[in-house]
Amino acid sequence: MNVAQECYQIVDAGLTWRNRFHALGPRFYTPLAPQPLPAPYWVAHSQASAALIGLNAHWAESDALLQVLSGNQPMSGTQPLASVYSGHQFGHWAGQLGDGRAILLGETQGWEIQLKGSGLTPYSRMGDGRAVLRSSIREFLCSEAMAALGIPTTRALCITGSDAPVMRETVETAAVVTRLAPSFIRFGHFEHFASRSQTTELQTLADFVIDHFYPACRRQPALGDNVYASWLQAVVERTAVMVAHWQAVGFCHGVMNTDNMSILGLTIDYGPFAFLDAFDPGFICNHTDRSGRYAFDAQPQIAHWNLYALAHALLPLIQQPTLAEQALAAFEPTYKRTYQRLMLAKLGLGSVLPPESGIKAHADSHPTESDDGVVQSMSALIRDTLALLAQDRVDYTIFWRRLSHARASGHYEPVRDLFISRPAFDGWLRRYQALVDPSDNGIQAHGMRQVNPKYVLRNYLAEQAIEAARQKDFSGVANLLTVLQQPCDDHPAFEALAGFPPDWASKIEISCSS
Ligand code: AMP
Ligand code: MG
């Protein structure tokens, strides 16, 4: 079967395209085909992502699809483009950026399909338009891991690789990640048009996002009948929820520039990210981030800062600064409520809260005054738990997982073993056990195992899989994907992937270079 025929079958098999971003017109992008990737081969696939767009079971064997997703063949129905945006990088206005190495193919089944690493675009600036195998594996695995953890994120369908050399600190090889998201629009898209006083384009883009992704803001504007302020508030809330998830799971993004902030509140642009090993609140995962602007414990504040930049860009539409302020004020309560709900679930203390409590019921309802005492004492417990972990640099993931098992068995020794300061731990344990309802332990322990993952994408695990992939052994990537897609289950064959990081793990340096 030749490529053209097989392509036709792929389209026939369910990939019908409607390209709503393309329909916005060329003020928002440059129409552009991806550049071919020499002699591509498959590196990794996610069946879970394939299911989202209804690909048939044999897609991963299709040479036609390999060519399409490497940028070597057009696919009928797609209208490829590179979009333009601007942004604040490390707190400074960076001016025009844009899709420097990503091509949006189009939209199918409600998912936009983007090729990352697919060659030069008008927005490549000093870059080469390519992505390397190393960073592509990291993005692919982390997207799918975050999704499986229930954290809002863009998705990854596959990686295709090539032996074509790409210069970074050393010579590496090229790869393309196929990414999926309902939309890849960033805060920076709005900053772009606002910075140029292009209010018509700003409004067109805002209306597009509201109509397709936030329709309730138009039907029932929450803030003074102002659709744009209400929408900003909804973006503020989604962003706060996303960052609360990051903090609870111990995820550090590393490059929270406004061009890396999704307007849908999705985790996007996986670069020098890390899951915490030893708990260190000030952990800086990006080797390039000397000042620690994007340190782990700074993330909520930085998200809020980025939302201010977005609000500033949207002022020509909102028109009333007090409404923009009100929208931004939703950040803190939404963040706190979500974070506390997530942390109490990790502690297996969700049921300690009164049943009517807003924290337990919904992230968006408010706790009553009578709950205040409980809420405050729970906040203190969470804070003190983290302080205890920080003091002894306890492994964050292993602590929570062992606590889940201890809750079921009543044997807390394996948790205690993690601490150097045993009296401090014993004091904490007495306080914790005083809050625990023993009759509820079975149910709570089960719930804890569902929210305290056994497997996270530690940097050293990614490094091992990358090293093997460089030798064309892609089994390490596939094995990691298997456990990360079911991160709370036991995988007896992959017990080693759930252990403590080796000593060399703390020496890994990940920079922005990708
Ligand atoms: P990042 O720090 O990866 O979010 O990238 C910031 C900007 O630089 C975005 O506009 C990217 O598209 C662009 N960029 C990053 N790497 C490259 C590259 N290798 N070639 C072209 N553009 C790039
Ligand atoms: Mg980026």
Side-chain angles (χ1 to χ4, degrees):
M1 188 182 291
N2 68 31
V3 165
Q5 281 171 328
E6 208 183 331
C7 272
Y8 180 75
Q9 285 207 345
I10 293 160
V11 175
D12 241 9
L15 289 194
T16 48
W17 300 82
R18 62 165 182 175
N19 304 325
R20 293 181 296 181
F21 189 85
H22 184 275
L24 285 172
R27 291 166 301 169
F28 299 92
Y29 56 82
T30 302
L32 183 73
Q35 284 182 347
L37 184 72
Y41 41 82
W42 291 113
V43 173
H45 312 88
S46 166
Q47 293 297 351
S49 281
L52 297 174
I53 53 170
L55 281 175
N56 66 42
H58 304 294
W59 69 279
E61 290 124 50
S62 161
D63 189 56
L65 203 53
L66 170 66
Q67 299 300 335
V68 165
L69 298 178
S70 301
N72 296 349
Q73 290 286 334
M75 190 162 187
S76 54
T78 64
Q79 291 167 298
L81 62 89
S83 77
V84 63
Y85 53 81
S86 294
H88 281 86
Q89 298 188 318
F90 289 89
H92 302 286
W93 178 244
Q96 183 188 301
L97 303 164
D99 293 328
R101 52 171 171 171
I103 298 285
L104 179 65
L105 291 182
E107 180 192 344
T108 182
Q109 310 280 328
W111 292 87
E112 288 190 346
I113 314 290
Q114 196 187 60
L115 306 185
K116 180 171 178 179
S118 52
L120 291 169
T121 79
Y123 316 111
S124 298
R125 300 179 297 150
M126 310 299 282
D128 56 9
R130 288 298 178 193
V132 295
L133 181 66
R134 162 179 56 90
S135 63
S136 302
I137 288 173
R138 286 171 53 83
E139 168 138 21
F140 171 82
L141 287 175
C142 202
S143 307
E144 295 307 277
M146 295 288 266
L149 289 164
I151 302 174
T153 179
T154 62
R155 300 294 301 266
L157 176 68
C158 60
I159 310 173
T160 66
S162 164
D163 291 344
V166 176
M167 263 316 282
R168 293 294 181 261
E169 281 88 351
T170 59
V171 180
E172 303 191 42
T173 60
V176 172
V177 185
T178 300
R179 301 200 291 194
L180 276 56
S183 169
F184 286 97
I185 296 176
R186 300 143 190 270
F187 291 8
H189 281 92
F190 298 93
E191 291 180 280
H192 180 74
F193 295 107
S195 72
R196 295 171 179 218
S197 305
Q198 290 179 270
T199 309
T200 308
E201 285 79 0
L202 184 69
Q203 182 168 358
T204 301
L205 203 59
D207 287 341
F208 176 85
V209 171
I210 293 167
D211 290 340
H212 296 316
F213 305 108
Y214 293 86
C217 297
R218 202 180 292 289
R219 280 199 310 271
Q220 290 170 311
L223 280 181
D225 275 347
N226 185 311
V227 171
Y228 298 108
S230 305
W231 167 56
L232 174 62
Q233 181 171 300
V235 177
V236 167
E237 286 168 351
R238 282 204 202 180
T239 306
V241 167
M242 172 190 78
V243 178
H245 276 278
W246 292 0
Q247 301 309 111
V249 81
F251 174 80
C252 195
H253 181 283
V255 205
M256 290 177 70
N257 295 333
T258 56
D259 55 302
N260 290 339
M261 298 292 293
S262 149
I263 201 68
L264 302 185
L266 307 172
T267 315
I268 190 170
D269 279 9
Y270 292 91
F273 67 83
F275 284 84
L276 301 181
D277 292 324
F279 185 68
D280 171 7
F283 182 69
I284 304 165
C285 63
N286 180 354
H287 188 60
T288 322
D289 180 15
R290 301 274 173 205
S291 71
R293 178 179 173 83
Y294 298 139
F296 174 71
D297 60 0
Q299 295 188 124
Q301 244 176 298
I302 291 290
H304 205 189
W305 191 97
N306 289 341
L307 286 160
Y308 265 86
L310 176 66
H312 184 74
L314 298 181
L315 270 184
L317 307 180
I318 296 172
Q319 292 188 337
Q320 292 163 270
T322 50
L323 288 182
E325 288 287 343
Q326 262 179 274
L328 288 164
F331 186 86
E332 198 174 310
T334 308
Y335 173 77
K336 279 192 175 156
R337 213 158 50 233
T338 311
Y339 180 70
Q340 188 163 46
R341 178 174 58 78
L342 293 171
M343 294 307 284
L344 287 181
K346 287 176 85 66
L347 282 160
L349 290 174
S351 62
V352 167
L353 296 166
E356 72 276 16
S357 164
I359 294 162
K360 194 181 172 209
H362 298 289
D364 7 299
S365 55
H366 298 271
T368 65
E369 231 170 76
S370 61
D371 298 339
D372 275 2
V374 184
V375 170
Q376 271 166 26
S377 75
M378 288 298 133
S379 291
L381 177 72
I382 293 165
R383 207 175 45 238
D384 296 346
T385 306
L386 295 180
L388 197 68
L389 294 177
Q391 187 178 304
D392 287 353
R393 292 284 191 267
V394 173
D395 187 276
Y396 191 70
T397 301
I398 291 177
F399 167 77
W400 292 108
R401 192 68 182 179
R402 287 197 185 178
L403 188 67
S404 315
H405 288 295
R407 184 72 176 270
S409 67
H411 298 303
Y412 285 87
E413 273 311 308
V415 190
R416 192 170 186 265
D417 287 346
L418 296 170
F419 291 84
I420 302 162
S421 165
R422 301 288 160 89
F425 173 77
D426 292 340
W428 177 88
L429 184 60
R430 278 192 295 276
R431 184 171 162 198
Y432 176 63
Q433 287 191 300
L435 293 164
V436 161
D437 171 3
S439 68
D440 200 21
N441 275 344
I443 292 170
Q444 290 296 328
H446 178 75
M448 287 169 77
R449 283 196 299 272
Q450 304 307 306
V451 295
N452 292 317
K454 177 166 177 173
Y455 298 94
V456 294
L457 183 57
R458 297 177 189 267
N459 270 342
Y460 92 91
L461 293 172
E463 287 300 305
Q464 287 177 335
I466 289 164
E467 208 35 62
R470 284 183 169 139
Q471 314 305 319
K472 298 264 167 44
D473 172 3
F474 304 127
S475 62
V477 177
N479 293 342
L480 267 180
L481 182 66
T482 299
V483 299
L484 294 172
Q485 286 188 325
Q486 312 279 336
C488 297
D489 291 356
D490 288 312
H491 300 268
F494 300 116
E495 206 56 36
L497 303 179
F500 287 98
D503 285 344
W504 60 267
S506 62
K507 311 275 186 311
I508 296 172
E509 289 178 354
I510 313 273
S511 71
C512 277
S513 142
S514 61

